[in-house]
Amino acid sequence: MSAFSKFFLTSISLLFVLFSSCLDAERSDSNAPAGLLVGDAQRLIPWPSSVELRGGAPWVFDLRQIQAELDLSDEADDRWGAEGYQLEIDSAGAHITAATKAGLFYGRTTLRQLRPTLCEGDPGCPNGYALPALIIEDAPSFSHRGLLLDCCRHFMSVDFVKHTIDALALHKMNVLHWHLTEDQGWRVEIDAYPDLTLVGSQRINPDGTPHGGYYTKSQIREIVAYAAERHIEVIPEIELPGHSRAALAAYPWLSCTGDTLPVANRWGVFKDIYCAGNDSTLAFLRAVLDEVVELFPSTRVHIGGDEAPKVRWEACPKCNARIAEEGLHDAHDLQRWFIEQMGEHLATHGRTIVGWDDILEGGLPRGATVQSWRGMAGAEQGVALGADVVVSPTSHCYLDYPLRSTDLEEVYSFDPAPPALQGGPGHVLGGECNMWSEHAPEHLVDSKVYPRAIGLAEVLWSGRAHTARTGAYDEFLARLDGHYPRLDALGVNYGLETVPVALTLAPASATEGSGLAATVSAAMRQISGEVSWRTSGGETSLGPLDTPFTVQGLGELQVQLTHRGKPASEQESFFVAAHLGAFSDLVLDYEPSQHYTAGGLQALVDGRRGSLDFRDGAWQAVQGEPMIATIDLGSAQPLERLSARFYHYQDAWIFTPSQIHWSTSLDGNSWTSASNWISPAMLAPDSVQDIRSHSSDDMGGRLARYVKMEAVNAGPCPDWHAAAGQASWLFCDEIVVE
Ligand code: ACM
Ligand code: ZN
């Protein structure tokens, strides 16, 4: 609720008052409080399109057509706040009042949302259109409403960054948190250290392809100015002390070991970080920050601070000397000291720092704002210590996560300032959604960001008083329906709201014959699709969603999805094994990890196989244990082959088994070996992420009722591994009996 609602409740006449959300336009139509709507709210207000737009930028209104007034009175700040506004539309036109230019901008943005979508593009506004007569008084609940854009894992063009700024502005977001330095790429030109971009902006991907790019100072100034015109502050993130491999590749003397390392081309957390004992490293970072603050006028600079392993510091004579000289407790305290050095330097430029919640590990660095990402615990700790906090927990705000982890409804349900964060002495400035780009090159980013970021925009602008109401989400969806065409007009390649389709599998009935009965059904609004079945023998069309069919053998159900009449940006597929053992009884001698059950204790015979994404819900896993599983086929059957697939991804501590033993039985008591496979050795380091299949020997029709798989865990991660000595994971998707 806006702070100044009381002001207008006395003066309703032919107008209605409502409280704006980030999507005002449709809200005014669909959610006008009926009791307040008097007379004819829809009036035709003719505005010639020829003067409607200026310079082809549809979001910059020509103020000749709208009266906009800065309230310069003494009470103005109290009345409107830093970003609030009043928008009044009647037959005389539109009138916006605010205490600040930002407020006027948000008033114009609301007006923009009220105008026809046609006004967004060519040929522009029609020569007269209806607008509701209304008064909106509006102000945001949170002052920090942001999106993190990671342009390091994948470089993104200047045009794309501007496109993102445009979309943020449409949704009244006011912060672009621009992630500019990482292990996998340094993206900001620094005159004093040219190798940061010459060397550090380029990498060779594991498949041999080069990837790189950086922003020149002039491009950065252009982007910062473009954002400022839209009342968006660009906060640069210069990661330290960790996530710094690209800088170390350019200048190896910045690290503890001085080793020459390439720009990282794998994802994850790396041991080599800036040396905190080396004065030259500190001087380097101060010089970098001097150039950064010259480019970015933001009051805060994000210094990262997350995921900085301390192994190098603990072994480094210089870092240990620093700990001793400064009277620090340990490496965590050294991190606090290190970040404070940066904070003190930035303070000489009149700036403060923001850091990920990891910066609390050695105690809150003086003056730091804390960005909570590992849940809300960091925010709670920060608030208790008197810090400002920004919230972006993985539970609700990570837009690189798939929809099955975080869908639109989940984002919309986010509470940025629950009671635990309201007791002070610090407070919540607002939140961000985080778009990390490990798995999202530029062309996929929109489909991950929208519509979920629009949900978060509404949470941050309108606050829980609005979004937690009964029915609020359905209202939001109804307004979103009217908003999608505007996104289309602006070239926003939005994705889906939730997991779009669901697969059900069951044993085929007697009339259906052998195989599995399957249905792929729609699980989202405005979705349709065509299903096909692809096997090594070819592809068969199975018809539209919700059509039941029967499949035989091993293959992939592919779904070509259509969302709102257009091909969806991502297609769905399911890997299915219609085999002899599917839906038989299964007994496990282990308890699957609760994070990777694949759906339950029968998951290894449910007909679903996994994809290359080991989090897709079809993989079952255990850590540090073997997988021993026994299938009861119900009656003796002639068998040709037994097989299972295992996931391989060393970076995620997932190893294929060291041994697999297959055996069969007629009675469940006496067992006959079918084959035994032994891994040659613990595999050498690689960054491969793939699926490895293991089969028994040809069984030549051997009769058996029971089948047993014993897959031996590979053991602790080997010495060469980043997690040497830790228990490794074993992942299996299905035991296939043929
Ligand atoms: C983060 O996601 N490492 C902040
Ligand atoms: Zn060191």
Side-chain angles (χ1 to χ4, degrees):
M1 252 300 276
S2 88
F4 36 90
S5 54
K6 55 195 177 303
F7 168 66
F8 247 94
L9 290 173
T10 52
S11 60
I12 300 161
S13 57
L14 276 173
L15 308 166
F16 60 86
V17 177
L18 53 91
F19 300 101
S20 174
S21 68
C22 92
L23 297 183
D24 299 293
E26 293 74 20
R27 180 163 159 70
S28 67
D29 296 336
S30 68
N31 196 37
L36 299 180
L37 182 57
V38 184
D40 173 18
Q42 297 283 323
R43 292 174 186 277
L44 196 68
I45 301 179
W47 283 331
S49 56
S50 58
V51 293
E52 193 69 37
L53 308 181
R54 190 172 67 196
W59 27 83
V60 181
F61 286 86
D62 184 338
L63 292 182
R64 281 173 299 171
Q65 303 306 308
I66 306 164
Q67 289 178 298
E69 187 185 344
L70 270 182
D71 179 349
L72 300 174
S73 67
D74 289 346
E75 307 83 51
D77 284 350
D78 284 348
R79 190 153 135 196
W80 307 113
E83 296 181 298
Y85 66 90
Q86 178 192 292
L87 169 63
E88 183 174 357
I89 302 174
D90 62 20
S91 54
H95 191 107
I96 304 167
T97 313
T100 62
K101 286 186 181 168
L104 293 183
F105 180 79
Y106 295 124
R108 297 208 303 275
T109 304
T110 296
L111 182 57
R112 175 188 175 189
Q113 292 178 354
L114 288 164
R115 299 188 325 164
T117 296
L118 264 183
C119 296
E120 300 285 354
D122 271 345
C125 277
N127 232 339
Y129 48 82
L131 283 178
L134 51 72
I135 293 176
I136 291 176
E137 294 176 349
D138 192 18
S141 291
F142 294 96
S143 63
H144 185 115
R145 306 179 300 279
L147 169 83
L148 172 145
L149 190 64
D150 169 10
C151 293
C152 298
R153 272 54 177 264
H154 281 98
F155 180 70
M156 298 175 202
S157 66
V158 170
D159 281 350
F160 184 78
V161 178
K162 288 183 172 176
H163 160 89
T164 299
I165 289 169
D166 288 336
L168 292 178
L170 174 62
H171 302 104
K172 299 181 180 142
M173 300 280 263
N174 64 358
V175 172
L176 175 67
H177 171 170
W178 200 8
H179 191 73
L180 285 169
T181 73
E182 250 306 337
D183 296 311
Q184 296 84 6
W186 183 283
R187 308 277 175 235
V188 47
E189 184 177 43
I190 300 293
D191 295 331
Y193 293 101
D195 283 357
L196 285 173
T197 44
L198 212 59
V199 175
S201 75
Q202 306 294 325
R203 69 169 185 262
I204 305 295
N205 286 327
D207 66 1
T209 56
H211 184 92
Y214 67 92
Y215 305 98
T216 65
K217 289 195 158 176
S218 101
Q219 287 173 326
I220 289 173
R221 289 196 182 96
E222 181 185 329
I223 284 171
V224 168
Y226 191 85
E229 281 171 27
R230 288 152 184 80
H231 293 271
I232 291 173
E233 182 175 63
V234 183
I235 298 183
E237 180 174 354
I238 306 298
E239 274 266 21
L240 55 91
H243 287 290
S244 48
R245 276 278 303 270
L248 307 191
Y251 298 104
W253 50 265
L254 293 167
S255 73
C256 291
T257 65
D259 290 344
T260 301
L261 299 165
V263 176
N265 65 357
R266 293 155 67 163
W267 318 128
V269 172
F270 296 89
K271 292 179 213 171
D272 290 285
I273 66 175
Y274 292 120
C275 175
N278 185 349
D279 290 335
S280 314
T281 302
L282 284 138
F284 161 89
L285 286 168
R286 290 188 186 106
V288 166
L289 291 173
D290 287 343
E291 295 194 34
V292 166
V293 296
E294 192 248 323
L295 288 170
F296 295 92
S298 62
T299 53
R300 281 164 288 152
V301 173
H302 206 299
I303 51 73
D306 59 321
E307 299 179 320
K310 305 294 183 295
V311 282
R312 295 291 189 234
W313 286 6
E314 281 160 0
C316 171
K318 286 185 187 167
C319 286
N320 281 298
R322 179 83 73 200
I323 289 172
E325 274 161 34
E326 298 293 333
L328 305 173
H329 306 303
D330 55 15
H332 295 291
D333 208 16
L334 180 59
Q335 167 150 323
R336 180 195 50 75
W337 176 88
F338 186 78
I339 289 172
E340 268 177 6
Q341 297 306 300
M342 298 302 123
E344 281 168 17
H345 185 68
L346 285 166
T348 65
H349 292 286
R351 313 299 178 90
T352 58
I353 59 171
V354 195
W356 298 108
D357 58 42
D358 318 46
I359 65 170
L360 291 166
E361 282 162 12
L364 178 69
R366 272 190 300 280
T369 297
V370 177
Q371 181 159 7
S372 198
W373 70 280
R374 297 173 299 181
M376 297 290 263
E380 285 174 31
Q381 213 182 327
V383 163
L385 293 167
D388 284 341
V389 304
V390 172
V391 289
S392 59
T394 50
S395 56
H396 292 81
C397 299
Y398 270 50
L399 303 186
D400 56 321
Y401 285 16
L403 289 165
R404 64 175 175 274
S405 307
T406 309
D407 67 6
L408 177 61
E409 187 166 9
E410 188 136 30
V411 173
Y412 196 80
S413 73
F414 180 48
D415 184 354
L421 296 185
Q422 290 179 10
H427 75 286
V428 179
L429 300 176
E432 292 182 5
C433 31
N434 293 347
M435 183 57 232
W436 300 107
S437 65
E438 285 94 329
H439 306 289
E442 179 181 304
H443 73 276
L444 288 181
V445 171
D446 270 8
S447 68
K448 292 176 184 290
V449 172
Y450 316 100
R452 289 182 289 182
I454 302 172
L456 193 80
E458 183 144 311
V459 166
L460 294 172
W461 182 277
S462 303
R464 290 285 286 172
H466 170 75
T467 58
R469 289 172 306 122
T470 307
Y473 182 64
D474 288 340
E475 276 172 23
F476 170 70
L477 289 181
R479 282 180 283 115
L480 198 55
D481 281 335
H483 188 66
Y484 279 121
R486 195 172 300 272
L487 298 178
D488 287 329
L490 294 170
V492 174
N493 294 313
Y494 52 84
L496 305 176
E497 295 164 357
T498 189
V499 176
V501 287
L503 168 67
T504 48
L505 289 173
S509 66
T511 52
E512 289 161 334
S514 64
L516 293 176
T519 308
V520 181
S521 42
M524 193 189 122
R525 312 168 324 133
Q526 296 275 350
I527 202 95
S528 57
E530 288 291 322
V531 185
S532 57
W533 174 239
R534 181 183 289 199
T535 64
S536 55
E539 186 168 334
T540 319
S541 175
L542 297 171
L545 291 181
D546 297 308
T547 310
F549 44 82
T550 308
V551 290
Q552 261 113 24
L554 313 184
E556 183 181 354
L557 283 169
Q558 293 185 324
V559 193
Q560 295 295 316
L561 287 173
T562 303
H563 178 218
R564 295 180 185 272
K566 291 187 307 184
S569 51
E570 288 177 74
Q571 304 304 322
E572 289 284 318
S573 68
F574 300 96
F575 298 89
V576 173
H579 60 98
L580 207 56
F583 292 92
S584 299
D585 282 345
L586 177 74
V587 176
L588 304 180
D589 286 11
Y590 61 90
E591 195 173 333
S593 156
Q594 58 177 11
H595 302 296
Y596 301 98
T597 65
L601 298 177
Q602 300 296 304
L604 294 190
V605 288
D606 66 357
R608 273 282 315 270
R609 300 175 105 186
S611 68
L612 257 184
D613 174 1
F614 65 86
R615 298 190 182 91
D616 68 3
W619 289 95
Q620 187 171 89
V622 284
Q623 188 177 17
E625 279 184 69
M627 280 180 157
I628 301 173
T630 308
I631 301 173
D632 177 358
L633 299 170
S635 59
Q637 307 278 341
L639 304 182
E640 299 300 333
R641 205 171 78 113
L642 309 171
S643 63
R645 302 193 316 163
F646 298 89
Y647 207 87
H648 170 91
Y649 187 28
Q650 296 176 352
D651 290 358
W653 312 10
I654 303 172
F655 289 80
T656 48
S658 60
Q659 285 191 48
I660 302 168
H661 185 66
W662 295 102
S663 51
T664 63
S665 168
L666 278 166
D667 59 6
N669 292 318
S670 100
W671 292 88
T672 311
S673 178
S675 70
N676 198 27
W677 175 87
I678 299 178
S679 169
M682 197 79 165
L683 298 164
D686 68 46
S687 60
V688 176
Q689 191 171 349
D690 66 7
I691 297 167
R692 296 182 179 177
S693 195
H694 290 281
S695 310
S696 68
D697 299 334
D698 183 345
M699 302 182 63
R702 176 199 297 186
L703 275 181
R705 174 174 166 178
Y706 298 93
V707 167
K708 187 186 287 190
M709 178 190 79
E710 294 165 86
V712 180
N713 183 289
C717 295
D719 288 345
W720 47 258
H721 194 273
Q726 305 278 346
S728 69
W729 286 86
L730 187 53
F731 274 63
C732 182
D733 61 348
E734 183 81 3
I735 301 173
V736 174
V737 182
E738 291 167 285

